[in-house]
Short mmCIF file of all heavy atoms in Angstrom, two decimals:
data_model
loop_
_atom_site.label_atom_id
_atom_site.label_comp_id
_atom_site.label_asym_id
_atom_site.label_seq_id
_atom_site.Cartn_x
_atom_site.Cartn_y
_atom_site.Cartn_z
N MET B 1 0.83 -1.19 0.02
CA MET B 1 0.01 0.01 -0.02
C MET B 1 0.87 1.28 -0.03
O MET B 1 1.81 1.36 0.83
CB MET B 1 -0.92 -0.01 1.23
CG MET B 1 -1.94 -1.09 1.20
SD MET B 1 -2.76 -1.31 2.83
CE MET B 1 -1.49 -2.31 3.68
N LEU B 2 0.55 2.15 -0.91
CA LEU B 2 1.25 3.47 -0.94
C LEU B 2 0.21 4.53 -0.64
O LEU B 2 -0.82 4.61 -1.27
CB LEU B 2 1.84 3.73 -2.32
CG LEU B 2 3.03 2.87 -2.74
CD1 LEU B 2 3.44 3.16 -4.19
CD2 LEU B 2 4.20 3.13 -1.78
N GLY B 3 0.52 5.39 0.38
CA GLY B 3 -0.40 6.42 0.77
C GLY B 3 0.14 7.80 0.77
O GLY B 3 1.39 8.00 0.91
N ALA B 4 -0.69 8.80 0.59
CA ALA B 4 -0.27 10.17 0.67
C ALA B 4 -1.34 10.97 1.43
O ALA B 4 -2.52 10.75 1.21
CB ALA B 4 -0.06 10.77 -0.73
N MET B 5 -0.90 11.90 2.27
CA MET B 5 -1.81 12.79 2.97
C MET B 5 -1.31 14.21 2.84
O MET B 5 -0.09 14.47 2.86
CB MET B 5 -1.92 12.42 4.45
CG MET B 5 -2.33 10.95 4.68
SD MET B 5 -2.43 10.50 6.44
CE MET B 5 -3.96 11.31 6.95
N TYR B 6 -2.23 15.19 2.71
CA TYR B 6 -1.87 16.57 2.64
C TYR B 6 -2.95 17.38 3.34
O TYR B 6 -4.16 17.13 3.15
CB TYR B 6 -1.75 17.04 1.17
CG TYR B 6 -1.55 18.55 1.10
CD1 TYR B 6 -0.33 19.18 1.51
CD2 TYR B 6 -2.57 19.37 0.61
CE1 TYR B 6 -0.17 20.53 1.44
CE2 TYR B 6 -2.38 20.74 0.53
CZ TYR B 6 -1.18 21.31 0.96
OH TYR B 6 -1.02 22.71 0.93
N ALA B 7 -2.53 18.38 4.11
CA ALA B 7 -3.48 19.19 4.83
C ALA B 7 -3.53 20.63 4.27
O ALA B 7 -2.62 21.45 4.51
CB ALA B 7 -3.09 19.27 6.32
N PRO B 8 -4.59 21.00 3.53
CA PRO B 8 -4.69 22.36 3.04
C PRO B 8 -5.05 23.35 4.16
O PRO B 8 -4.93 24.54 3.98
CB PRO B 8 -5.83 22.26 2.02
CG PRO B 8 -6.59 21.07 2.41
CD PRO B 8 -5.62 20.10 3.03
N SER B 9 -5.56 22.86 5.28
CA SER B 9 -5.82 23.67 6.45
C SER B 9 -5.62 22.79 7.72
O SER B 9 -5.46 21.60 7.66
CB SER B 9 -7.23 24.18 6.43
OG SER B 9 -8.18 23.18 6.70
N ASP B 10 -5.65 23.45 8.86
CA ASP B 10 -5.50 22.72 10.11
C ASP B 10 -6.66 21.76 10.40
O ASP B 10 -6.51 20.76 11.14
CB ASP B 10 -5.38 23.68 11.30
CG ASP B 10 -4.01 24.33 11.40
OD1 ASP B 10 -3.00 23.74 10.84
OD2 ASP B 10 -3.88 25.38 11.98
N ASN B 11 -7.79 22.06 9.79
CA ASN B 11 -8.97 21.22 10.09
C ASN B 11 -9.25 20.16 9.00
O ASN B 11 -10.03 19.24 9.24
CB ASN B 11 -10.23 22.12 10.21
CG ASN B 11 -10.22 22.90 11.45
OD1 ASN B 11 -9.62 22.49 12.49
ND2 ASN B 11 -10.76 24.12 11.42
N LEU B 12 -8.62 20.30 7.81
CA LEU B 12 -8.91 19.37 6.73
C LEU B 12 -7.65 18.69 6.24
O LEU B 12 -6.69 19.37 5.91
CB LEU B 12 -9.62 20.09 5.55
CG LEU B 12 -9.89 19.24 4.31
CD1 LEU B 12 -10.92 18.15 4.65
CD2 LEU B 12 -10.36 20.08 3.20
N THR B 13 -7.65 17.37 6.20
CA THR B 13 -6.57 16.56 5.65
C THR B 13 -7.11 15.69 4.52
O THR B 13 -8.13 15.00 4.68
CB THR B 13 -5.89 15.72 6.71
OG1 THR B 13 -5.30 16.53 7.68
CG2 THR B 13 -4.80 14.84 6.10
N LEU B 14 -6.47 15.73 3.33
CA LEU B 14 -6.82 14.87 2.23
C LEU B 14 -5.97 13.66 2.21
O LEU B 14 -4.77 13.71 2.47
CB LEU B 14 -6.71 15.64 0.93
CG LEU B 14 -7.49 16.97 0.84
CD1 LEU B 14 -7.20 17.71 -0.49
CD2 LEU B 14 -8.99 16.75 1.08
N MET B 15 -6.51 12.52 1.85
CA MET B 15 -5.80 11.27 1.92
C MET B 15 -6.12 10.39 0.67
O MET B 15 -7.25 10.34 0.26
CB MET B 15 -6.19 10.46 3.19
CG MET B 15 -5.47 9.12 3.33
SD MET B 15 -5.82 8.36 4.97
CE MET B 15 -7.55 7.89 4.73
N ALA B 16 -5.07 9.74 0.14
CA ALA B 16 -5.26 8.81 -0.96
C ALA B 16 -4.42 7.56 -0.71
O ALA B 16 -3.35 7.63 -0.11
CB ALA B 16 -4.82 9.44 -2.34
N MET B 17 -4.97 6.40 -1.04
CA MET B 17 -4.30 5.12 -0.85
C MET B 17 -4.47 4.20 -2.05
O MET B 17 -5.57 3.93 -2.47
CB MET B 17 -4.86 4.43 0.40
CG MET B 17 -4.21 3.06 0.70
SD MET B 17 -2.52 3.17 1.32
CE MET B 17 -2.79 3.84 2.95
N ALA B 18 -3.30 3.84 -2.63
CA ALA B 18 -3.26 2.87 -3.74
C ALA B 18 -2.67 1.58 -3.28
O ALA B 18 -1.85 1.59 -2.31
CB ALA B 18 -2.50 3.43 -4.90
N SER B 19 -2.99 0.43 -3.90
CA SER B 19 -2.48 -0.82 -3.45
C SER B 19 -2.19 -1.76 -4.63
O SER B 19 -2.80 -1.69 -5.70
CB SER B 19 -3.47 -1.48 -2.46
OG SER B 19 -4.74 -1.71 -3.10
N VAL B 20 -1.31 -2.70 -4.37
CA VAL B 20 -1.03 -3.85 -5.28
C VAL B 20 -1.31 -5.13 -4.45
O VAL B 20 -0.73 -5.29 -3.35
CB VAL B 20 0.40 -3.84 -5.81
CG1 VAL B 20 0.65 -5.10 -6.67
CG2 VAL B 20 0.63 -2.56 -6.69
N ILE B 21 -2.11 -6.00 -4.96
CA ILE B 21 -2.60 -7.17 -4.21
C ILE B 21 -2.21 -8.45 -4.95
O ILE B 21 -2.36 -8.51 -6.15
CB ILE B 21 -4.12 -7.12 -3.98
CG1 ILE B 21 -4.47 -5.83 -3.19
CG2 ILE B 21 -4.60 -8.36 -3.23
CD1 ILE B 21 -5.96 -5.59 -3.16
N SER B 22 -1.81 -9.43 -4.22
CA SER B 22 -1.61 -10.80 -4.79
C SER B 22 -2.30 -11.81 -3.91
O SER B 22 -2.12 -11.81 -2.70
CB SER B 22 -0.13 -11.09 -4.97
OG SER B 22 0.53 -11.06 -3.76
N ASN B 23 -3.03 -12.71 -4.54
CA ASN B 23 -3.72 -13.78 -3.82
C ASN B 23 -3.27 -15.13 -4.32
O ASN B 23 -3.06 -15.34 -5.52
CB ASN B 23 -5.29 -13.70 -4.05
CG ASN B 23 -5.86 -12.37 -3.57
OD1 ASN B 23 -5.53 -11.94 -2.45
ND2 ASN B 23 -6.72 -11.77 -4.36
N ASP B 24 -3.16 -16.08 -3.43
CA ASP B 24 -2.84 -17.47 -3.75
C ASP B 24 -3.73 -18.41 -2.92
O ASP B 24 -3.86 -18.17 -1.72
CB ASP B 24 -1.38 -17.81 -3.41
CG ASP B 24 -0.41 -16.99 -4.29
OD1 ASP B 24 -0.15 -17.45 -5.41
OD2 ASP B 24 0.10 -15.97 -3.85
N MET B 25 -4.31 -19.38 -3.62
CA MET B 25 -5.17 -20.35 -2.97
C MET B 25 -4.79 -21.76 -3.35
O MET B 25 -4.58 -22.06 -4.53
CB MET B 25 -6.68 -20.07 -3.31
CG MET B 25 -7.63 -21.02 -2.56
SD MET B 25 -9.36 -20.77 -2.98
CE MET B 25 -9.70 -19.25 -2.03
N ASP B 26 -4.70 -22.61 -2.38
CA ASP B 26 -4.44 -24.08 -2.57
C ASP B 26 -5.75 -24.82 -2.40
O ASP B 26 -6.49 -24.56 -1.44
CB ASP B 26 -3.42 -24.58 -1.59
CG ASP B 26 -2.04 -23.99 -1.80
OD1 ASP B 26 -1.73 -23.59 -2.98
OD2 ASP B 26 -1.26 -23.91 -0.83
N LEU B 27 -6.06 -25.74 -3.35
CA LEU B 27 -7.33 -26.48 -3.29
C LEU B 27 -7.08 -27.94 -3.58
O LEU B 27 -5.99 -28.34 -4.03
CB LEU B 27 -8.28 -25.87 -4.35
CG LEU B 27 -8.53 -24.35 -4.37
CD1 LEU B 27 -7.68 -23.69 -5.43
CD2 LEU B 27 -10.01 -24.04 -4.54
N VAL B 28 -8.14 -28.74 -3.36
CA VAL B 28 -8.06 -30.18 -3.67
C VAL B 28 -9.44 -30.63 -4.23
O VAL B 28 -10.44 -30.14 -3.81
CB VAL B 28 -7.69 -30.95 -2.38
CG1 VAL B 28 -8.77 -30.89 -1.33
CG2 VAL B 28 -7.44 -32.45 -2.73
N THR B 29 -9.37 -31.53 -5.22
CA THR B 29 -10.60 -32.03 -5.84
C THR B 29 -11.06 -33.29 -5.09
O THR B 29 -10.39 -33.88 -4.27
CB THR B 29 -10.33 -32.37 -7.30
OG1 THR B 29 -9.49 -33.51 -7.37
CG2 THR B 29 -9.71 -31.21 -8.02
N ARG B 30 -12.27 -33.78 -5.47
CA ARG B 30 -12.83 -34.99 -4.92
C ARG B 30 -11.95 -36.19 -5.25
O ARG B 30 -11.92 -37.18 -4.49
CB ARG B 30 -14.24 -35.24 -5.45
CG ARG B 30 -15.33 -34.50 -4.80
CD ARG B 30 -16.67 -34.87 -5.29
NE ARG B 30 -17.72 -34.12 -4.66
CZ ARG B 30 -19.03 -34.19 -5.00
NH1 ARG B 30 -19.38 -34.96 -6.02
NH2 ARG B 30 -19.93 -33.54 -4.32
N MET B 31 -11.15 -36.08 -6.32
CA MET B 31 -10.29 -37.18 -6.72
C MET B 31 -8.97 -37.12 -6.05
O MET B 31 -8.09 -37.92 -6.28
CB MET B 31 -10.07 -37.14 -8.27
CG MET B 31 -11.36 -37.20 -9.09
SD MET B 31 -12.30 -38.68 -8.76
CE MET B 31 -11.20 -39.95 -9.41
#
């Protein structure tokens, strides 16, 4: 995850978050 935050004022902060995801699953059949 890569994130960035910036505050244009003391009361408001803007935030963005991008991500790269990888999934792996192990399975078995009836056979």
